[in-house]
Amino acid sequence: MTEEFPWQHAFPPFFTLQPHEQTRVKQLEAWRSMILDYCQSHQITQFDVQEIGQSALFHNKTIQRRLSPEDLLVVLEDLRSHGHLEWDGPAKSRRKAHIYWRRPEEWGSLIYNWAQAHGMTNTVCTLFEITQGDDAQDQAFQGLDQDLLIKALKCLELESKAELFPDQEGVKFF
Amino acid sequence: LRDTEISKAFQDLEKLMEMAKPMVSLAKSISSKIRDRQGEVSDDETVQFKSYLLSLGISDPVTRDTHGTGQSYYRELAKEIFWILDQPLQESGGMMTLTDVFCRVNRARGLELLSPEDLLNACKALPEAGLPLRLYTFDTGVSVLQLTSHTQEALILKTKEALEQSGSLTVEELSKASGISVILAKERLLSAERSGAACRDDTVEALRFYPNKFLTC
C-alpha cells in the first residue's frame, strides 16, 4: 500500500489543536481515521508513543509541522475514548499502547466466522493455527499479534462462542 | 515671601474644600429626597440636578442611574465624539480601540480634556443619542467603537475573504494589509476563529490563521 495521507496531513493547522470546539471535533475525527488507516496499512498493532511521534504520521517534513507530544496524547486519548486504543502497562505512564484498527470484538467475530466456514466448531485448534496455519491464509487476521488474538478470543468467550485453554495455547469454538 | 504665598495658596485650597463639603452633603440630601419622593420631581429637574453633580465631580452612580436616563452632558459629548471620529472611522474600516479614541478626542480638544470615565460614559450614551456608532467589547476585554454600518458579521466575512485571498495570515500581516492596528487585526482574526471561519497554525515561527478547511471540506 502506498503512503497516501489525507489532505489534512498537508494542511498546517492540522498540527495545532484547534480551540474552536466544532473545528476540534472535525480535526480529531480526521486524526482518528488517519491513524487507523496508517496502522492498518502498516500492520501496526502496538507502538511506543515516543517512537510513533517521530514517524511520518505525526511529522510532515514537507510542511515542517509536527504534532507536539502533549497534543499527541490528546489525539491518542481521543482514540481510546472511541475504543480503538488501550494503554499497555500502567495507564498513567501512557508510554506504550495497543491500537485496534479493528476492535477486539470485531477480530473475534471475523475469526469466529472463519472457524464456522471451515467447519471448525466443536473442535480444538491452536492459536498458532489461527494466525499462521494453512487454513488461515489470505485471512485478515493472518499474522495477528498474539496479545490481540487472545483479547479477541476472550471477547468470543464472553459470548460463549469459544473457550480458551488455561495455558492460552489453544481454543475450542462452539 | 514665597513661603507665605505657598501657605496662603494651601489655606485657600483648604477653604475651597470646606466650601465643597457642604455642597456634597447638600447634593446627597437632595438625591435622597428625590429617591423618597419619586414622581414629584420632574424629568427636567433631575437632568439639571445631574449637571450640578457633574460640575462638582461627585460620583453617585446609583442616584444618577435611577433618575432619568443618562446625562444630557454625556449625550452632548457623544455627539461631539461622533463628529470628531466619523471621518477617521470610515477611513480605518469602521473600528477603533477606545484608547485610540481617547487620544484622538483629547488631542483634538487641547483644553478641557476628558477623563477616561467621561469618555466611557459618553460612549455608553451613544445609542440614546441616536448616533450610528456603538461601543463593543471583545471577549478578550478590548473595547472598541464601531460604526453600526460595519457589523461584526460583515467584518468576519471580510476577514475570511482576506484569509482566502492570501492563503494564510499572521496578525501583523493582516494589520499591514488592511491598514488597521495590530490589536484590531488580532481581534478580527480571533473573532473569525470563534465563528468557525478561521483556524490556527501555532508554531515557534508565528501564529498563523488559515481559512477553516476542517468545516468546509
Side-chain angles (χ1 to χ4, degrees), chain A residues 136-165:
Chain A
Q137 275 190 1
D138 302 327
Q139 293 293 328
F141 48 82
Q142 193 196 10
L144 188 67
D145 177 68
Q146 180 95 0
D147 294 342
L148 183 49
L149 177 63
I150 288 168
K151 275 208 185 83
L153 293 175
K154 278 190 175 150
C155 287
L156 286 179
E157 220 170 22
L158 285 176
E159 297 170 56
S160 330
K161 284 177 176 170
E163 191 183 344
L164 207 56
F165 290 117

Side-chain angles (χ1 to χ4, degrees), chain A residues 7-8 11-20 22-24 26-27 30 64-65, chain B residues 193-203 205 208 210-215 217:
Chain A
W7 64 266
Q8 286 97 334
F11 186 49
F14 191 45
F15 295 85
T16 302
L17 271 187
Q18 298 300 321
H20 184 247
Q22 229 179 320
T23 312
R24 195 189 180 100
K26 286 271 181 193
Q27 188 189 17
Q64 297 192 335
R65 291 289 186 284
Chain B
E193 183 185 48
R194 263 195 301 277
S195 75
C199 59
R200 64 171 64 196
D201 168 32
D202 199 356
T203 61
E205 250 171 71
R208 300 194 80 85
Y210 283 73
N212 193 347
K213 281 210 230 164
F214 292 112
L215 292 183
C217 282

Side-chain angles (χ1 to χ4, degrees), chain B residues 16-178:
Chain B
L16 191 67
M17 298 276 275
E18 270 166 37
M19 295 304 281
K21 261 183 215 157
M23 284 298 277
V24 172
S25 59
L26 184 67
K28 281 206 171 138
S29 80
I30 294 174
S31 74
S32 66
K33 257 185 211 161
I34 290 173
R35 213 173 350 203
D36 292 342
R37 302 190 295 172
Q38 250 176 347
E40 280 182 40
V41 189
S42 71
D43 265 358
D44 259 1
E45 274 176 273
T46 43
V47 169
Q48 205 178 8
F49 175 63
K50 266 170 211 156
S51 61
Y52 287 149
L53 277 182
L54 279 176
S55 63
L56 264 176
I58 300 163
S59 171
D60 197 354
V62 183
T63 42
R64 269 202 228 157
D65 283 347
T66 41
H67 302 287
T69 50
Q71 297 76 32
S72 49
Y73 168 60
Y74 289 142
R75 264 203 299 270
E76 289 309 309
L77 207 55
K79 274 178 208 160
E80 188 184 294
I81 288 171
F82 177 71
W83 182 76
I84 295 173
L85 292 180
D86 187 26
Q87 197 56 36
L89 272 171
Q90 297 281 6
E91 281 163 13
S92 62
M95 197 190 267
M96 197 181 278
T97 60
L98 215 52
T99 41
D100 284 347
V101 172
F102 184 71
C103 290
R104 282 232 180 215
V105 171
N106 272 336
R107 197 163 291 175
R109 289 190 141 206
L111 280 170
E112 296 278 345
L113 299 181
L114 288 181
S115 72
E117 203 193 358
D118 278 347
L119 179 73
L120 190 64
N121 284 327
C123 290
K124 281 178 183 159
L126 281 167
E128 61 178 283
L131 298 168
L133 195 60
R134 290 292 174 272
L135 181 66
Y136 182 83
T137 306
F138 285 106
D139 292 355
T140 48
V142 175
S143 292
V144 296
L145 275 189
Q146 197 174 19
L147 286 171
T148 47
S149 52
H150 294 66
T151 59
Q152 211 52 27
E153 291 75 39
L155 264 186
I156 287 169
L157 210 68
K158 233 170 114 185
T159 315
K160 199 176 161 187
E161 272 165 18
L163 279 174
E164 268 155 13
Q165 220 169 41
S166 49
S168 72
L169 284 172
T170 62
V171 169
E172 289 77 17
E173 283 167 4
L174 178 66
S175 143
K176 234 182 244 172
S178 26

